[in-house]
Structure formats: structure tokens, C-alpha cells
Amino acid sequence: MAAKSMTIVMHANDLDKTMAAFILATGAAAKGMDVTIFFTFWGLMAMKKGAADKSKLSKFSMFTGMMKKVMKKNNVATLDELIKDSAELGVRMVACEMTMALMNTPKESLRPEVTEIGGVGTYLDAASESNITLFI
Amino acid sequence: MAEVKISTVGLNCPKPLIETRKAMRKLAAGDILIIEGDHAVSKDEIQQAVKDTGDAVLGVEETGGKWIIKVQKGA
């Protein structure tokens, strides 16, 4: 039997890292797990409206366009698609309230898939009940 | 009792898993889902995921790199 719950802190907004976070989130949700992603700092910037298509690789960022073409050729889902799939599979997406204030990121500027706002306590409550926790 | 077919042919990880789960969520207990695909790793991963969610694998067929998995939604 698979683990029942996974919590991810998404701190990065690089394409390779956000893709990893959402591939893990959708995969876990597909296995029936309860998944929570807590978006903090640069990770919250990745959840701003329109940000998914502008995301760059963490290394060799000048090759981001080339990597996207290779991904498309290999029928790999886009980040935008994975975020939508996560929402459809019931992944809970929480925005870090402090980051919203620090980076002047009101709720309206975030994607509609981010339905909750919380703090470190929200993350810890979810993580303490999770079998898997990751910081990306 | 409904029977639904989906194709994941050509899709890469983790889309076959995602599309399977999306389709399963729309079904009622006892309904059948038939998943067609050609992503090798997903053939085994879908079967495990279906067991994890308390649903049943009824059968698997494979011919020339393409596979068909038949599953039934649990109660």
C-alpha cells in the first residue's frame, strides 16, 4: 500500500524544479494520496498568473526554449498543464502569507488553483501528518 | 454500469497515470475503465496506482509495445 499523504514546500521557481514538484504531486494524487503544496518565496512567484510559461531552467537558462521543444517532442506535459491537472486531482495548494506581503503578491495576482493562504503552522500541520515531505 | 475508454498513446510520464486517475474519479463504483497506452513504465505504474486507490485490475493485454489495461472502480 502506498503512503497516504505527501507535503511539498515549493521554494524554487525554476522550470526544472517546479516541473519536478508538480510531477510528484500529480503522481502521488494519482495513487490516491492527499497532497499539499506550500508555495513560499520564489516558489510563490511561479504561481503568479502567466508565470508558468516564462519559467526558466535553473542551469543553462539560455537553453530553456530548446528544452521546451525537446519536452514537447517527447510529449511531456507543460508546467501549466501539470498545475491544472494537480487542481483537478484535488492537490491542495497553499500560498505563504508572508511571501505575499514581502513580494507584493495579492491573492488576485495568483493562479486560481492556489485556493488557500497560510503560514508555517499550516505547513507543519500538513507535514506532521504526511508520510512524505519534500523541499524543492 | 458504464464502460469508458481512454487513450494515453504517445503520452509521457506522468500523464498516463494522471489521465487514468482523472477518468477514474468520474466513474461510479462498479464502472469499467479501459486504458490504452504505449508508455512502457506506465503499464506497471498504472496497475499499482489502481490497487493503491482501492480499485481492481481486471486484465492486461500487450501487443507490439502497446498495452490495454482494464480496471474496475471499487466501492
Side-chain angles (χ1 to χ4, degrees):
Chain A
M1 187 63 195
K4 292 202 176 74
S5 172
M6 177 165 83
T7 303
I8 297 171
V9 176
M10 199 176 100
H11 177 269
N13 75 346
D14 309 294
L15 182 64
D16 41 322
K17 296 179 186 178
T18 52
M19 286 282 290
F22 280 99
I23 286 169
L24 286 160
T26 49
K31 286 170 82 62
M33 295 170 65
D34 292 327
V35 183
T36 300
I37 312 178
F38 186 80
F39 302 103
T40 188
F41 230 80
W42 310 121
L44 187 68
M45 298 303 100
M47 298 310 285
K48 288 179 85 165
K49 285 172 184 162
D53 295 334
K54 294 179 197 148
S55 187
K56 296 249 191 307
L57 293 171
S58 59
K59 291 188 171 69
F60 306 107
S61 62
M62 67 287 258
F63 294 123
T64 299
M66 193 191 291
M67 177 56 80
K68 282 185 177 176
K69 275 183 197 160
V70 174
M71 284 176 167
K72 195 174 177 183
K73 200 177 156 197
N74 283 283
N75 282 322
V76 172
T78 62
L79 177 60
D80 184 64
E81 190 179 350
L82 288 170
I83 294 171
K84 287 174 180 159
D85 283 342
S86 294
E88 186 173 342
L89 293 182
V91 172
R92 181 183 171 211
M93 298 189 224
V94 186
C96 168
E97 190 273 334
M98 187 176 76
T99 305
M100 289 172 71
L102 289 177
M103 301 206 184
N104 190 25
T105 312
K107 180 83 175 66
E108 313 82 72
S109 68
L110 296 172
R111 298 177 61 113
E113 292 88 352
V114 183
T115 54
E116 279 186 61
I117 295 168
V120 68
T122 310
Y123 160 74
L124 289 169
D125 288 343
S128 62
E129 290 179 3
S130 292
N131 313 79
I132 301 171
T133 59
L134 297 167
F135 186 98
I136 297 175
Chain B
M1 202 172 76
E3 185 175 293
V4 176
K5 282 183 189 176
I6 60 166
S7 173
T8 68
V9 173
L11 297 181
N12 210 328
C13 174
K15 280 301 275 184
L17 262 182
I18 294 172
E19 294 306 318
T20 299
R21 183 68 184 146
K22 277 158 79 171
M24 286 297 274
R25 280 165 63 99
K26 290 173 189 155
L27 298 181
D31 286 352
I32 304 285
L33 179 68
I34 294 167
I35 311 127
E36 185 188 10
D38 59 1
H39 185 250
V41 171
S42 293
K43 187 189 75 175
D44 295 331
E45 290 192 350
I46 286 172
Q47 293 178 64
Q48 184 57 48
V50 164
K51 288 173 195 162
D52 290 340
T53 51
D55 306 302
V57 178
L58 299 183
V60 186
E61 286 172 39
E62 191 169 13
T63 39
K66 274 199 182 178
W67 43 257
I68 294 170
I69 304 171
K70 190 174 179 179
V71 304
Q72 184 170 37
K73 175 116 165 171

